[in-house]
Amino acid sequence: MARSYDSTKRILVTGGAGFVGSHLIDYLLGQGHDVLCVDNLFTGSKRNIAHLHNHPRLEFLRHDVCFPLYVEVDEIYNMACPASPVHYQYDPVQTTKTSVHGAINMLGLAKRLKARILQASTSEVYGDPSVHPQTEDYWGNVNPIGIRSCYDEGKRCAETLFFDYHRQHGVEIKVARIFNTYGPRMHPSDGRVVSNFIVQALAGEPITIYGNGAQTRSFCYVEDLVRGLVALMESPAEVTGPVNLGNPVEFTIRQLAEQVLELTNSKSELIELPLPQDDPRQRQPNITQAKTKLGWEPKFPLAQGLPATIEYFAALMNK
């Protein structure tokens, strides 16, 4: 059974050395909790948690969630999974295993401990949406056999498992559907549009836009996302989700490229490449549920979050 000796909780974060996971750990430690960071370092990096070296309330365990884990914790944030197309398409079978076997193993742990568990799901469950903006009751438009399916369908299956463990075993679950997130500690070669554009602009290389750049995304700064994840975890038990977490302000890819060029003072030119298979044309969250049930909405506009992200990449590239 999960312990509850005092207000300090022992919290497991899988994928804790990743981009979002490491920021989540910063926040949880700042709240005074003990944190167990679990990561197999496939896409995560110890560099992301290096500033926490020797922190008395952080423990690191190198482990793959595809295998069972036997620890004692009060809460579980299941963040483990490659999240960028470059990384999840590198080993698609392993990506599906991480989503599905990882969910089974973490849900089994939560069931044994009677611990609350949060699943980091994704806006990719909506596929290339025919509904805009996307609400949580939209079932999606997903290709089950495409090159992105390992991630899209893996996350959809993980959501199924979470709700079945909730209905069948009474596990306390939270499901967050995370939309495009950016900020310091993004992997420089993860192929995501924000990191791609910044790295290319800083290096003076051509900025590669897929298609004509008219496709849209909404970009949420990582600090805002972390607040949303914690608000969902701490919400009443009946708030299971799924809950969209993202910034509803929509930009075209070309507008993002132009902002990056302006903020970096780069002379890089924009070049157009063919659009990848199953690339969504539109992506924008409806966050009504997050506002009403969690009292959450993002605070950082793109113009405020981009400079901090650029500063991080500039420092990284100058090392």
Side-chain angles (χ1 to χ4, degrees):
M1 182 170 226
R3 58 177 205 163
S4 54
Y5 305 146
D6 51 40
S7 59
T8 299
K9 290 182 283 193
R10 181 162 168 79
I11 301 174
L12 165 62
V13 179
T14 71
F19 161 47
V20 174
S22 63
H23 284 279
L24 175 60
I25 286 174
D26 283 342
Y27 186 94
L28 295 173
L29 290 172
Q31 296 296 300
H33 300 300
D34 296 327
V35 177
L36 172 59
C37 171
V38 168
D39 205 301
N40 68 352
L41 302 180
F42 174 59
T43 58
S45 170
K46 284 187 177 180
R47 181 180 63 229
N48 290 335
I49 54 172
H51 62 289
L52 300 172
H53 185 59
N54 290 331
H55 193 292
R57 284 183 282 105
L58 177 68
E59 182 181 353
F60 175 78
L61 175 64
R62 186 164 183 169
H63 178 83
D64 188 331
V65 295
C66 290
F67 300 93
L69 182 63
Y70 302 100
V71 293
E72 305 298 317
V73 293
D74 302 300
E75 289 179 350
I76 303 166
Y77 286 85
N78 188 34
M79 312 294 293
C81 189
S84 74
V86 168
H87 290 150
Y88 65 64
Q89 290 171 18
Y90 173 77
D91 190 344
V93 172
Q94 187 61 33
T95 295
T96 304
K97 285 182 177 179
T98 300
S99 287
V100 178
H101 292 184
I104 290 169
N105 288 327
M106 291 306 108
L107 284 162
L109 179 62
K111 177 188 170 188
R112 177 176 72 82
L113 297 174
K114 295 181 170 58
R116 181 173 284 192
I117 181 169
L118 181 146
Q119 167 68 4
S121 191
T122 172
S123 59
E124 297 293 336
V125 300
Y126 299 123
D128 186 7
S130 55
V131 171
H132 190 75
Q134 292 79 59
T135 55
E136 290 88 347
D137 58 0
Y138 174 54
W139 291 353
N141 176 34
V142 177
N143 177 359
I145 58 170
I147 60 173
R148 300 170 72 104
S149 307
C150 57
Y151 186 67
D152 302 359
E153 296 288 33
K155 290 288 192 177
R156 285 163 69 95
C157 185
E159 287 195 14
T160 300
L161 286 162
F162 265 67
F163 278 89
D164 283 340
Y165 266 78
H166 174 64
R167 286 183 287 251
Q168 188 173 339
H169 300 299
V171 174
E172 277 198 28
I173 65 163
K174 306 286 179 179
V175 175
R177 287 180 178 163
I178 299 172
F179 282 68
N180 292 62
T181 303
Y182 72 99
R185 300 181 205 157
M186 293 183 80
H187 197 292
S189 58
D190 65 7
R192 298 189 209 191
V193 65
V194 173
S195 49
N196 263 7
F197 287 179
I198 292 175
V199 169
Q200 289 168 342
L202 290 172
E205 298 171 351
I207 289 186
T208 51
I209 293 177
Y210 294 99
N212 61 9
Q215 65 270 40
T216 66
R217 297 292 184 271
S218 47
F219 301 100
C220 184
Y221 191 58
V222 66
E223 285 186 29
D224 281 331
L225 176 67
V226 165
R227 283 191 304 103
L229 292 171
V230 174
L232 178 56
M233 178 65 96
E234 295 179 349
S235 64
E238 62 269 17
V239 181
T240 58
V243 175
N244 289 338
L245 294 178
N247 193 319
V249 179
E250 194 176 16
F251 290 88
T252 68
I253 297 300
R254 186 171 290 275
Q255 286 174 322
L256 173 67
E258 289 166 351
Q259 279 210 39
V260 169
L261 283 174
E262 182 180 345
L263 290 168
T264 56
N265 294 315
S266 175
K267 304 300 182 188
S268 297
E269 61 174 334
L270 303 181
I271 60 172
E272 297 180 2
L273 297 177
L275 201 62
Q277 180 187 337
D278 299 330
D279 191 61
R281 291 161 295 176
Q282 292 181 304
R283 189 56 60 71
Q284 181 190 18
N286 179 310
I287 60 168
T288 301
Q289 283 206 46
K291 285 181 177 180
T292 56
K293 295 181 178 179
L294 309 181
W296 175 89
E297 61 182 316
K299 297 178 179 178
F300 288 89
L302 191 62
Q304 191 174 349
L306 268 182
T309 311
I310 290 168
E311 184 180 336
Y312 167 78
F313 278 111
L316 194 66
M317 292 169 70
N318 289 329
K319 282 185 178 178

